Amino acid sequence: YNIVMRSWARKGCLQRINRLFSMLESIGLQPSLDSYAAALECMGRNQSSAKAIQGCLQKLKNDGFHVDELFQKCLFEEDEKEKVLRAIRIVQPNYQLPPPPTPQTCKSSLLQDFYSREKMVSYPKLDFSVQELKERFQQQLEMEVDNTITIESVESAKPLTPQAIKARKLLDTLRSQWHGSILQALQKSKHSMSKLKMVSGYNILYPYLCLLPDEEYVGIMLQILNSLSPQGESLAVLARDLGSKVYNRYITQRKLRSRQLEKVQEVYEGYIHLLAKDSQPDEYLPREYWEKLVMEAGFGPSLNLKDCSWPYMLLMRLGMHMLELLVKAVKVPRNILNPRLEPKLIPVLYHIYSFHSSWQVGLIKPHPIFSQIVSDAAETLLTFNSSAIPMLCPPVPWTSPHFGAFILNDTKLMRFVDGVIQHQLLLEQCPPVNLHPVLDALNQLGNCAWKINQPVLDIIISIFNDKGNEKLDIPPPISEAPRPSAASSNSSAWNKSQKHELLLCKKKAAEMHSLRMDALYKLSIANYVRDKVFWFPHNMDFRGRTYPCPPYFNHLGNDVTRAILLFAEGRPLGPKGLDWLKIHLINLTGLKKKNALQERLEYANEIMEEILDSADHPLTGRKWWMNTDEPWQALACCMEIAKASRSPDPAAYISHFPVHQDGSCNGLQHYAALGRDLIGATSVNLMPCSVPQDVYSAVAQQVEEFRKKDAERGVKIAQVLQGFISRKVVKQTVMTVVYGVTRYGGRLQMEKRLKEIDEFPEEYLWEASHYLVKQVFNGIKEMFSATRDIQNWLTESAKLIAQSGQTVEWVTPLGLPIVQPYYRSRSTVVSIWKPDTVKQKNAFPPNFIHSLDSTHMMLTALHCLRQGLTFVSVHDCYWTHALTVDVMNQICRQQFVALHSEKILQDLSEFMLEKYCSPGRETRALWQKKLMEQLSNVPKTGEFNLKKVMDSTYFFS
């Protein structure tokens, strides 16, 4: 009713608003603050009598509100705020707006230095003038106003065949016809809805089909049609996509209509003075500076929109309806490719059902005739949502859970499972000051400017357009997919093995198409921004792990994607930079993981000839780079080393190359630090050592000792496994034990590794994998005793919480509230969400460790900012310039020690006792007593001295 009131207020319909007030009172509902704002806005527009306004203000007071709250808590659009103030001043001429709240400073003990005003430094400057950043803002704005962007695909370089020209003309004709038939079907369905007197699931969509011009809905539907895979797409995914496209378009229009964009533009033009090289405001963080500018802007619309999110089920229903229109309206003559057939119209799309495990999944599949025309046309234009492209200007800083990242595109601070809103509610209830560290860390990551490594991109595109290369992770086109061997054309006569072969060929073709399209999108976007500087705005998942918002092309991508990214800012290598580039290259090869850093550097110097040959003749030389773990990043690094080593003064060489430092079995590092576990800490490189410790080899050795003893006692499977237990066999299970892998999951991992060994007897696979997973768990238990105790404590606590019908919640050491989003939904008239006990229990230990991991990364990011470093992360892999690797390493260790010096498990115990065990109650349920006992029994810690981490050389592997 608030939305209705606000729309009436804008039209000056005071009588209607008064009737709605009376109606609310008659059914015992108290009008909200927003309702009073609407009434006063209307009175301000109509310049109502002082008596009427006084009456409204008196009611507001009687309902427990204060007039100041209208301006402190309500969100306004257009000139609503001015009109409310005008009404109030009719009866209180001297009324002044309440002063803006005093900015609060985060009190976290981990960030006292960071937020200390005495230690503030100027925000690092970008290499752009104010004018250049204004121009980039305009480019980004134009792209977002259009909502979509169409770019050339990297396949456009191929010459056009006569067949392709003919197919493109045919597609143009068909699309023109389809446009008309979809428009007709849409208008017909809207007309039917408008005639229905009763509200139903069908006509409830009617208002949502009237928000945009009909042409826009048709354009959205055609866009989906153009990007459909020949193998079909999930009905649910397509429906969600269509609904979201309408929502995004509506939000953009609403922001334009409400004058919100004008205000964003005004504030952003001030904000870029913080970043531009030719401007020098005082010391502020991006969030602080943006908030200051918003306060100074005074009137105009609020930058957070009111009531704008659409429920998940509404998006799905809207999308499903649009899909139905597409299926009914879009048809093609059956004889369009074969004139001998009858000229009957057949649907281009049809519903099919497939089974995914035991679930029946609805798919929308294009007719093979349509897929053939699309394939023949070999179109080279790709259309994306504007939010899929990196930003062409620095992102809008996050200032709240509702505002940040893109200029117009609606972006959530926290990604979550469709239909689950608990995270958003937690964030809204959280005091804003508690979120400052997280928002500031996301802003720091998003403000890193990037550019393209053009020589590497060109080589990758040339291979992509020349049938790809699976060994180098460049997917071949679907034309290279295996075909079933010649068989009878009558499929009913096929034998079982022929049908199985056909099924495998179809599966492989579907996989190849998916991988090829993914690579096409990434490379085409990279090619589009090849001459530009760009930015990746960031948000996070429910555990606080950060991700770039553009989904296809970003630095979290695979080896190919990472190889074509460079920092836009260049820094000299300095005295040790070239050495770090060489060590980084050897790390990428995977060849010297057990060797000391000095040995890796010496090895790089020994193979300089191979490095230079790879750089100079990547596709025609000896191709050393191709046989490394990360070939494309290795090639990019070879090229950088070649340029630096050939420059007159390598120390002065300006490098844009990101050097990575990768966590050394990161999850186990956190567990070892939590439990102060000396043996565990040593095996994951938290202690100073002359060479890196390899936890996987240590566990393999432990398992081998167990096996030997069993073999001597005559255990058959232990005898069969002689000579087969290696680092490679146990690595995946050791790595994932920390992240909650079960014995069942671990057994499957072991079986997969043993299958890769040709000599291993197949008949023993099940028994051997079962035996090995048991021994790996025993080995870890023995080596990491404190780790298993903590894991068991977390699991048991989560089990008791979930069994009581509640979800597991906690707060990270940086103040981010977290709730696990695992529910069992029962489809009734009203959807009932109950916690999924098994998932809540099993996922808590890994999620808790992930939340600590993200906390450590954010602390590192913020302290790197204070020291002027370029810093980005891929979870536990940290990137910076070669010049600043040593400084980043130091900061990273300091923050790890600072984080684990907090009473993390004790604080968790206290938070959960307060939340779940109601300390004030005299009578407690049995489960509460059990939970109290469990939570109070915090695992004991060992003797490991955390300060030793500062001297650890191999904290990063």
Side-chain angles (χ1 to χ4, degrees):
Y1 67 83
N2 282 333
I3 297 170
V4 173
M5 276 201 191
R6 296 312 271 266
S7 66
W8 287 346
R10 218 165 288 136
K11 294 169 187 167
C13 307
L14 189 55
Q15 280 183 317
R16 287 185 178 185
I17 289 175
N18 286 335
R19 278 205 303 273
L20 192 49
F21 259 88
S22 302
M23 190 188 86
L24 286 171
E25 285 168 359
S26 69
I27 57 173
L29 283 179
Q30 179 185 313
S32 69
L33 208 54
D34 272 321
S35 307
Y36 283 110
L40 287 164
E41 178 204 332
C42 197
M43 291 172 175
R45 282 189 199 285
N46 296 346
Q47 298 203 3
S48 298
S49 68
K51 186 181 174 186
I53 296 169
Q54 190 62 55
C56 183
L57 289 173
Q58 189 57 49
K59 269 187 180 177
L60 177 138
K61 189 178 175 183
N62 294 345
D63 279 338
F65 299 119
H66 190 280
V67 69
D68 284 356
E69 289 181 278
L70 291 165
F71 302 101
Q72 290 164 334
K73 295 181 180 176
C74 292
L75 299 174
F76 297 103
E77 293 183 23
E78 298 178 34
D79 59 349
E80 293 171 354
K81 188 175 183 180
E82 290 91 319
K83 299 304 177 201
V84 173
L85 184 61
R86 178 199 273 181
I88 292 167
R89 283 183 175 163
I90 288 172
V91 293
Q92 298 178 23
N94 299 322
Y95 177 78
Q96 294 300 314
L97 287 173
T102 309
Q104 289 181 283
T105 304
C106 173
K107 296 287 188 288
S108 166
S109 58
L110 290 165
L111 289 165
Q112 277 172 344
D113 282 358
F114 181 78
Y115 287 111
S116 160
R117 287 288 148 194
E118 294 78 55
K119 298 191 179 180
M120 285 291 273
V121 292
S122 292
Y123 194 77
K125 296 294 181 181
L126 297 170
D127 193 23
F128 298 109
S129 66
V130 168
Q131 187 54 39
E132 286 170 324
L133 287 175
K134 277 184 185 174
E135 287 163 11
R136 280 169 163 72
F137 173 82
Q138 285 305 323
Q139 290 170 11
Q140 177 67 24
L141 181 57
E142 283 165 26
M143 184 164 75
E144 290 191 40
V145 167
D146 291 340
N147 263 129
T148 59
I149 179 166
T150 300
I151 65 174
E152 281 281 356
S153 125
V154 290
E155 291 181 322
S156 61
K158 294 178 179 176
L160 259 182
T161 63
Q163 184 188 24
I165 294 167
K166 185 181 171 189
R168 286 185 189 185
K169 280 183 183 168
L170 181 56
L171 262 183
D172 285 345
T173 307
L174 287 170
R175 281 176 186 146
S176 176
Q177 292 167 4
W178 294 338
H179 184 281
S181 54
I182 296 169
L183 182 60
Q184 202 176 350
L186 174 67
Q187 289 169 342
K188 189 178 172 187
S189 84
K190 282 172 68 176
H191 183 70
S192 305
M193 288 176 182
S194 68
K195 295 290 178 201
L196 288 174
K197 299 229 172 17
M198 294 287 288
V199 174
S200 69
Y202 176 62
N203 72 349
I204 203 168
L205 296 176
Y206 180 67
Y208 296 92
L209 291 169
C210 299
L211 292 170
L212 307 174
D214 289 348
E215 291 283 341
E216 292 213 24
Y217 293 97
V218 175
I220 287 168
M221 287 188 258
L222 281 171
Q223 192 186 329
I224 287 280
L225 191 62
N226 294 342
S227 59
L228 204 57
S229 155
Q231 282 73 37
E233 296 277 359
S234 153
L235 195 66
V237 169
L238 283 175
R240 171 84 169 121
D241 199 18
L242 277 164
S244 297
K245 282 182 192 297
V246 174
Y247 170 74
N248 290 336
R249 191 78 198 128
Y250 160 70
I251 287 295
T252 302
Q253 296 298 339
R254 188 172 168 185
K255 286 180 180 177
L256 294 170
R257 203 174 51 243
S258 70
R259 292 194 7 234
Q260 186 184 350
L261 176 60
E262 288 173 36
K263 188 161 177 182
V264 170
Q265 194 155 2
E266 177 194 340
V267 175
Y268 194 94
E269 286 189 3
Y271 169 67
I272 53 185
H273 287 267
L274 181 72
L275 310 176
K277 63 183 177 185
D278 58 346
S279 181
Q280 193 63 48
D282 293 332
E283 285 80 37
Y284 288 97
L285 291 164
R287 172 189 52 79
E288 294 170 339
Y289 198 54
W290 185 277
E291 286 172 341
K292 171 181 176 288
L293 293 166
V294 169
M295 278 180 200
E296 288 169 0
F299 285 106
S302 308
L303 293 183
N304 294 342
L305 280 179
K306 292 187 299 287
D307 308 310
C308 59
S309 290
W310 293 357
Y312 170 67
M313 285 314 296
L314 172 66
L315 290 171
M316 290 297 286
R317 276 186 176 179
L318 182 60
M320 286 289 189
H321 180 68
M322 292 167 78
L323 273 177
E324 281 170 27
L325 293 178
L326 267 177
V327 171
K328 284 178 189 168
V330 179
K331 298 193 171 167
V332 65
R334 191 167 169 239
N335 67 342
I336 200 160
L337 295 180
N338 184 354
R340 286 176 296 178
L341 297 170
E342 59 175 315
K344 181 183 165 190
L345 283 176
I346 55 169
V348 166
L349 303 174
Y350 52 101
H351 287 275
I352 62 166
Y353 289 94
S354 177
F355 281 92
H356 182 73
S357 301
S358 59
W359 292 87
Q360 193 178 28
V361 179
L363 298 177
I364 292 283
K365 193 168 181 183
H367 195 282
I369 290 174
F370 173 66
S371 297
Q372 187 62 54
I373 298 170
V374 170
S375 174
D376 292 345
E379 289 184 308
T380 57
L381 289 177
L382 297 170
T383 300
F384 295 101
N385 286 348
S386 55
S387 57
I389 305 291
M391 286 187 74
L392 306 178
C393 67
V396 172
W398 284 105
T399 55
S400 77
H402 306 276
F403 187 80
F406 294 98
I407 300 167
L408 283 173
N409 290 321
D410 203 39
T411 313
K412 292 273 183 282
L413 175 68
M414 193 174 269
R415 303 160 174 228
F416 48 79
V417 181
D418 286 328
V420 176
I421 57 165
Q422 281 80 353
H423 307 98
Q424 200 63 26
L425 296 174
L426 262 188
L427 290 173
E428 284 165 13
Q429 291 159 8
C430 183
V433 69
N434 290 9
L435 292 177
H436 286 174
V438 170
L439 301 179
D440 293 336
L442 287 169
N443 293 336
Q444 157 73 343
L445 298 171
N447 272 350
C448 175
W450 299 87
K451 68 174 188 173
I452 294 294
N453 189 334
Q454 294 186 18
V456 177
L457 177 63
D458 290 337
I459 296 168
I460 292 169
I461 290 173
S462 70
I463 294 175
F464 181 85
N465 282 336
D466 184 28
K467 298 190 175 176
N469 184 323
E470 285 196 78
K471 182 176 176 262
L472 293 174
D473 203 18
I474 299 179
I478 203 159
S479 57
E480 302 300 300
R483 286 178 168 70
S485 52
S488 157
S489 59
N490 179 11
S491 59
S492 59
W494 289 4
N495 62 33
K496 194 176 176 183
S497 71
Q498 285 172 324
K499 286 178 180 173
H500 183 64
E501 186 191 358
L502 177 68
L503 198 68
L504 288 177
C505 288
K506 280 186 173 178
K507 189 180 175 205
K508 179 70 177 169
E511 285 170 6
M512 285 176 68
H513 178 268
S514 176
L515 290 169
R516 180 78 177 179
M517 293 310 288
D518 181 59
L520 178 71
Y521 290 170
K522 284 175 177 165
L523 295 177
S524 300
I525 292 170
N527 199 45
Y528 171 70
V529 294
R530 67 183 297 131
D531 300 312
K532 300 176 171 71
V533 171
F534 50 90
W535 287 261
F536 296 122
H538 280 59
N539 63 0
M540 60 188 168
D541 67 13
F542 74 93
R543 302 164 299 191
R545 292 200 112 187
T546 59
Y547 300 84
C549 298
Y552 303 112
F553 173 66
N554 59 58
H555 60 288
L556 254 72
N558 59 2
D559 174 48
V560 174
T561 319
R562 294 184 191 187
I564 51 185
L565 280 166
L566 294 171
F567 292 136
E569 182 193 3
R571 296 207 175 177
L573 284 178
K576 290 178 69 179
L578 183 54
D579 287 352
W580 271 119
L581 282 175
K582 290 174 181 176
I583 292 167
H584 176 57
L585 172 64
I586 302 309
N587 289 345
L588 291 167
T589 66
L591 293 171
K592 300 282 175 184
K593 288 182 178 175
K594 297 182 189 177
N595 295 61
L597 291 177
Q598 187 57 36
E599 289 169 352
R600 295 180 210 182
L601 177 59
E602 285 163 8
Y603 178 67
N605 288 327
E606 283 167 28
I607 59 164
M608 267 310 275
E609 206 177 306
E610 296 289 0
I611 294 170
L612 296 174
D613 176 72
S614 293
D616 297 338
H617 312 288
L619 300 179
T620 56
R622 294 192 293 275
K623 304 176 191 173
W624 169 84
W625 64 277
M626 288 189 185
N627 299 310
T628 60
D629 277 5
E630 309 279 359
W632 289 107
Q633 290 175 83
L635 174 62
C637 197
C638 287
M639 291 176 165
E640 188 72 358
I641 290 169
K643 282 188 275 188
S645 58
R646 286 165 176 164
S647 69
D649 176 9
Y653 172 78
I654 303 296
S655 175
H656 296 259
F657 201 84
V659 175
H660 314 171
Q661 297 285 278
D662 217 337
S664 176
C665 202
N666 201 252
L668 280 171
Q669 286 182 327
H670 283 292
Y671 268 125
L674 280 173
R676 302 291 194 274
D677 183 343
L678 185 57
I679 298 170
T682 305
S683 61
V684 288
N685 296 301
L686 295 183
M687 287 282 282
C689 296
S690 55
V691 292
Q693 300 301 297
D694 182 34
V695 66
Y696 310 116
S697 297
V699 173
Q701 199 175 330
Q702 186 85 39
V703 171
E704 174 59 16
E705 282 174 26
F706 294 153
R707 186 206 64 77
K708 269 185 191 167
K709 285 177 188 168
D710 286 344
E712 284 164 12
R713 291 207 316 270
V715 177
K716 174 73 173 150
I717 196 63
Q719 293 166 345
V720 170
L721 276 162
Q722 184 173 350
F724 291 112
I725 294 171
S726 65
R727 178 186 193 273
K728 189 177 179 183
V729 167
V730 304
K731 180 181 176 181
Q732 189 184 9
T733 307
V734 174
M735 197 190 298
T736 50
V737 157
V738 194
Y739 296 121
V741 76
T742 58
R743 294 207 174 204
Y744 174 76
R747 194 201 69 71
L748 293 177
Q749 291 169 347
M750 291 292 186
E751 187 175 351
K752 199 174 177 185
R753 296 289 82 82
L754 290 171
K755 264 185 188 171
E756 291 166 1
I757 305 170
D758 295 337
E759 302 79 38
F760 191 80
E762 205 172 314
E763 66 271 22
Y764 287 107
L765 275 174
W766 191 91
E767 197 182 346
S769 56
H770 197 273
Y771 173 84
L772 277 180
V773 78
K774 183 182 165 192
Q775 302 309 338
V776 166
F777 273 60
N778 287 342
I780 291 172
K781 195 171 180 180
E782 203 158 296
M783 287 176 66
F784 294 88
S785 54
T787 294
R788 295 305 292 182
D789 290 346
I790 294 168
Q791 214 169 17
N792 293 338
W793 180 73
L794 293 171
T795 304
E796 191 58 30
S797 302
K799 177 179 151 191
L800 291 168
I801 291 166
Q803 282 175 346
S804 75
Q806 299 179 83
T807 49
V808 178
E809 287 182 32
W810 68 99
V811 176
T812 72
L814 277 189
L816 179 69
I818 293 179
V819 55
Q820 293 195 140
Y822 310 119
Y823 301 91
R824 287 179 293 119
S825 174
R826 283 223 311 271
S827 291
T828 52
V829 178
V830 178
S831 205
I832 299 168
W833 294 82
K834 283 194 167 183
D836 184 322
T837 310
V838 174
K839 279 190 180 173
Q840 289 283 344
K841 168 179 80 88
N842 290 340
F844 181 39
N847 285 339
F848 182 69
I849 293 298
H850 277 309
S851 75
L852 286 184
D853 197 25
S854 76
T855 300
H856 175 228
M857 185 280 293
M858 288 179 179
L859 285 168
T860 305
L862 293 172
H863 286 87
C864 282
L865 158 62
R866 275 285 172 258
Q867 299 209 26
L869 274 67
T870 299
F871 173 91
V872 289
S873 85
V874 178
H875 303 320
D876 62 344
C877 178
Y878 298 170
W879 300 18
T880 192
H881 286 93
L883 172 71
T884 51
V885 171
D886 288 308
V887 185
M888 184 186 74
N889 274 337
Q890 185 73 2
I891 293 169
C892 182
R893 285 169 175 74
Q894 284 167 351
Q895 296 315 309
F896 187 87
V897 172
L899 171 63
H900 283 286
S901 297
E902 299 285 294
K903 306 189 308 294
I904 294 173
L905 295 180
Q906 197 62 48
D907 290 346
L908 176 68
S909 165
E910 286 167 16
F911 172 83
M912 287 183 156
L913 281 166
E914 189 176 332
K915 176 158 187 65
Y916 299 107
C917 297
S918 314
R921 276 199 217 163
E922 287 178 24
T923 55
R924 289 193 176 90
L926 181 62
W927 70 266
Q928 281 181 313
K929 288 176 183 171
K930 272 190 185 175
L931 182 59
M932 270 190 76
E933 197 178 317
Q934 168 65 22
L935 289 172
S936 303
N937 191 19
V938 179
K940 293 182 171 55
T941 55
E943 301 300 314
F944 171 58
N945 180 357
L946 260 183
K947 292 199 172 82
K948 293 282 185 189
V949 172
M950 293 308 301
D951 302 317
S952 160
T953 316
Y954 299 100
F955 183 79
F956 291 111
S957 56

